[in-house]
Each structure stands twice: as structure tokens, then as C-alpha cells.
Amino acid sequence: ATPPSADSFVFSFTDGANVVTGHTTNINIADAPDVTAPTVGGDLTINVTEGGSIVVTGTDLLASDDMASTAQIIYTVTGAPSYGEFRLSGTATTTFTQADVNAGYVSFFQTTGSPPVTDGFLFSVTDGINTVTSNSGLINIAPAPDVTAPTMTGDHVLDVTEGSSVVITVADMNATDETASNVTYNVTTAPLYG
């Protein structure tokens, strides 16, 4: 329980012959100094799809403190991720509270280029008096689903002399895809004469 900010006691005193009663002494109780830094927890990992966003939860970032409320526990991103940004209620930010995380107001948006499969960030956490620095978080970036079919160009005509073979070139058939580096061709109906 939290102690009250004031207390008092009533006392009496005597000189051996006479007793004086009913004297009150007031006691002012000051808060104990906050000497303990927040504890940083959660799995410190954010999983997002390439080009997507994800709400950061208490499972990801969960700091606690023996004296500060969640609204007083403040995160500051000190080393930004290379391939995205944190947002507080939709606006890019480098500072947010544990209360913001708990309420679902903090998101990570994967925004930049073709990312690798992982990214990271550095952050500090403070209770307003004590700060924990040099924390690191991991961001796992899953490839976006491939929803675009490959396209075919070329004249789709092979000129071959009877009894010989021909090399198929990109001028004849050229399949390309926005996300795949290799396109595989499968013959589904073979030619009748070759």
C-alpha cells in the first residue's frame, strides 16, 4: 500500500509531579527517491510483411517500473530501423509510452525499398528519472505475397528446318515477373512433330 503523505502522533509528558497531555507532533512523509530504472521486457521482436504494417504490442515491448505508471515509461528510438518507421496513431515518431503500446497506438510500418529478411532498432527506456540505454530490438520482414502473374513477350514463333533443332531465344518467348528472379517454363502440350 502507498503510505500517506502525512501522519501525526499525540503524546504526553511529565516532570514527575505534573502531567501535560494532548500534544500533537505532525510528520511529513516524503516519497522515497526513485533509484530503480525500468525493466525492459517483451520478446523485443516485431514481425511484419514487406510493405505492410503491424501494431506493436506488449508481447513485443513491455517495460515496467516499481514507481512509474505505464504513461510515465517512455521509449525513445535512438537507432532507427533502416527499412521502416514507428508510428504513433499513424504519425511517424521516435518517442512513445508503454501506455501507448498497451493501448495499440504504436505501429511499425515497413516503408523503404526491398528489405533484407531482418532489420533492427536501438532504443532507451526511462521512467522520467532513471534511464536504461543500449536496448536493441529485432524486426523480421516476411516477403510480400506474390500476387502478380508473370507476363510473356516475344513473337511466339519458332522457325526451324526439317530434321534440325533451334535455340529458343528471348525474341521468341520471354517471361518476366515483378518479384521472381527466375521463371520456369513447363511444356503442357508437346509438339506433334518434334
Side-chain angles (χ1 to χ4, degrees):
T2 303
S5 60
D7 203 352
S8 65
F9 62 91
V10 178
F11 65 96
S12 63
F13 59 94
T14 181
D15 61 5
N18 300 299
V19 176
V20 179
T21 61
H23 282 279
T24 302
T25 296
N26 293 316
I27 303 169
N28 295 321
I29 302 171
D31 290 337
D34 185 357
V35 295
T36 305
T39 302
V40 177
D43 62 16
L44 306 178
T45 302
I46 297 168
N47 298 304
V48 66
T49 301
E50 177 183 3
S53 65
I54 188 84
V55 173
V56 178
T57 69
T59 301
D60 309 318
L61 297 175
L62 183 61
S64 61
D65 189 79
D66 63 340
M67 298 184 87
S69 70
T70 57
Q72 295 168 317
I73 299 172
I74 301 170
Y75 291 86
T76 301
V77 177
T78 57
S82 299
Y83 296 95
E85 64 188 15
F86 287 94
R87 294 185 182 176
L88 178 59
S89 298
T91 302
T93 189
T94 57
T95 304
F96 49 88
T97 68
Q98 185 65 52
D100 294 331
V101 171
N102 295 350
Y105 298 150
V106 180
S107 298
F108 177 78
F109 281 71
Q110 194 285 307
T111 58
T112 308
S114 294
V117 294
T118 61
D119 197 359
F121 62 100
L122 301 174
F123 65 97
S124 65
V125 179
T126 185
D127 60 11
I129 297 172
N130 304 291
T131 302
V132 180
T133 60
S134 303
N135 301 289
S136 61
L138 175 67
I139 301 168
N140 292 315
I141 304 170
D146 185 357
V147 295
T148 305
T151 57
M152 178 64 72
T153 59
D155 62 14
H156 305 270
V157 175
L158 297 176
D159 294 320
V160 61
T161 303
E162 183 179 349
S164 62
S165 62
V166 66
V167 174
I168 300 171
T169 68
V170 294
D172 303 314
M173 297 184 327
N174 184 28
T176 58
D177 189 83
E178 289 180 7
T179 57
S181 58
N182 293 314
V183 176
T184 303
Y185 296 85
N186 293 312
V187 176
T188 56
T189 304
L192 297 175
Y193 305 104

